[in-house]
């Protein structure tokens, strides 16, 4: 990894990055931006897309197969951005076993499988895991119990990876991602009162772009972030700073849904 005068964070030339959920939203932006700093990027998604390896990241066998294929083809693996996610809204009593498994499988389990499969390939030269958690990893959005649980778990996973593999030069960071304009938000928070109240949770009064979130993922992975590990990076337009506004909005939402 190279750092030159005036280049504070360095680049990832010659490094190999795996991004999950790469077909859309934050993952697609992350794929573009990791390429912009010199990395070779392998995108993984359930959905098809140009240059995307199609796989279900909630299946441990498929995750192991993808990781092994990346190392076989590119010779190494340096950064994993565990980013794929889904939500099935509903209160605990209304969610089925299948709903629970779907959200937990993609948002939480997949990232454990990624660590288990990838860490052995990083031990010799170091590496970085970046997990897209959420504000739901530090609080709770109404009617999203499994999503909230899964996103909390990613902060614990980042801490565990930091503690268990720090001596091998492996870092891990969880992104506390705030409201971002992606397909997920279009589906779950359609334009109208719901979208307006989501936007109002931020201090800046707008949703993030996927690129604004992807920049945080790249920042966490760059060589200049070498002391950043076992921590969360909040990119939420000031939303968690204004918990009172958040609580008020969420109460409105509760009444609306
Ligand atoms: N958009 C937001 O406001 C927001 C806020 C906080 C956190 N996040 C998190 O950001 C991440 C990216 O979401 P996004 O907003 O870009 O949404 P998105 O729907 O645009 O992207 C999610 C991607 O994950 C993929 N995916 C779903 N299940 C998969 C599976 N089993 N295997 C492989 N890929 C799968 C989807 O096909 C999709 O391409 C998610 O983890 C989400 O929870 C989003």
């Amino acid at each position: 990894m190279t750092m030159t005068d005036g280049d504070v964070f360095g680049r990832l030339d010659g490094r190999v990055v795996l991004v999950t959920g790469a077909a859309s939203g934050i993952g697609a932006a992350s794929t573009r931006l990791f390429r912009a700093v010199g990395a070779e990027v392998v995108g993984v998604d359930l959905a098809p897309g140009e240059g995307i390896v199609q796989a279900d990241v909630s299946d441990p066998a498929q995750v192991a197969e993808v990781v092994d294929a990346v190392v076989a083809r590119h010779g190494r693996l340096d950064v994993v951005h565990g980013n794929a996610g889904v939500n099935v809204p509903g209160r605990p009593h209304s969610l089925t076993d299948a709903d629970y498994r779907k959200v937990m499988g993609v948002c939480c389990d997949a990232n454990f499988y990624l660590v288990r499969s990838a860490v052995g390939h990083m031990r010799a030269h170091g590496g970085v895991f970046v997990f897209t958690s959420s504000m739901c990893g530090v609080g709770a959005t109404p009617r999203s119990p499994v999503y909230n649980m899964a996103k909390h778990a990613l902060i614990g996973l980042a801490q565990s990876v930091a503690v268990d593999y720090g001596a091998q030069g492996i870092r891990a960071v969880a992104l506390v991602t705030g409201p971002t304009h992606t397909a997920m938000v279009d589906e779950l928070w359609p334009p109208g009162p719901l979208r307006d109240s989501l936007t109002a949770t931020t201090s800046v009064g707008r949703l993030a772009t996927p690129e604004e979130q992807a920049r945080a993922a790249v920042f966490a992975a760059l060589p200049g972030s070498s002391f950043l590990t076992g921590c969360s990076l909040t990119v939420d337009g000031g939303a968690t700073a204004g918990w009172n506004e958040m609580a008020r909005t969420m109460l409105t939402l509760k009444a609306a849904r």
Side-chain angles (χ1 to χ4, degrees):
M1 303 195 190
T2 49
M3 285 182 74
T4 54
D5 287 349
D7 178 5
V8 176
F9 289 102
R11 291 175 51 86
L12 293 172
D13 297 299
R15 301 301 187 246
V16 177
V17 178
L18 190 156
V19 177
T20 70
S24 168
I26 296 167
S30 167
T31 300
R32 285 193 296 277
L33 294 191
F34 271 115
R35 286 193 178 126
V37 294
E40 271 185 78
V41 183
V42 179
V44 182
D45 206 296
L46 205 52
E50 204 184 318
I52 299 254
V53 176
Q54 271 185 273
D56 178 353
V57 294
S58 68
D59 176 351
Q62 292 188 46
V63 170
E65 202 178 308
V66 167
V67 167
D68 288 348
V70 169
V71 175
R73 174 144 189 218
H74 299 277
R76 56 188 297 139
L77 179 56
D78 300 280
V79 177
V80 172
H81 182 189
N83 167 79
V86 285
N87 192 7
V88 179
R91 286 191 284 171
H93 69 266
S94 68
L95 294 174
T96 65
D97 288 353
D99 296 335
Y100 177 85
R101 281 274 24 107
K102 180 175 180 182
V103 177
M104 217 52 186
V106 179
C107 290
C108 177
D109 302 356
N111 294 290
F112 175 76
Y113 304 147
L114 282 164
V115 170
R116 190 173 59 183
S117 300
V119 81
H121 299 293
M122 294 177 174
R123 274 201 185 121
H125 54 72
V128 186
F129 290 93
V130 182
F131 305 119
T132 308
S133 174
S134 169
M135 284 163 59
C136 301
V138 294
T141 292
R143 289 166 168 73
S144 299
V146 189
Y147 188 80
N148 294 334
M149 287 165 67
K151 294 301 186 180
H152 273 72
L154 293 188
I155 294 175
L157 181 60
Q159 291 174 334
S160 294
V161 170
V163 166
D164 284 334
Y165 301 110
Q168 278 89 49
I170 296 172
R171 300 189 291 108
V173 175
L175 302 178
V176 175
T177 304
T180 306
H181 192 196
T182 66
M184 180 183 274
V185 160
D186 278 339
E187 187 193 331
L188 299 175
W189 310 81
L194 268 183
R195 171 70 60 81
D196 293 347
S197 47
L198 179 68
T199 304
T201 62
T202 68
S203 303
V204 296
R206 65 172 178 85
L207 304 182
T209 64
E211 284 72 19
E212 285 175 307
Q213 299 300 345
R215 279 188 209 119
V218 173
F219 163 74
L222 285 172
S225 298
S226 46
F227 211 60
L228 193 73
T229 192
C231 61
S232 311
L233 193 58
T234 301
V235 189
D236 70 351
T240 50
W243 272 117
N244 291 337
E245 171 63 15
M246 182 79 176
R248 195 188 60 72
T249 307
M250 287 306 176
L251 284 174
T252 314
L253 270 180
K254 257 180 164 169
R257 282 190 171 176

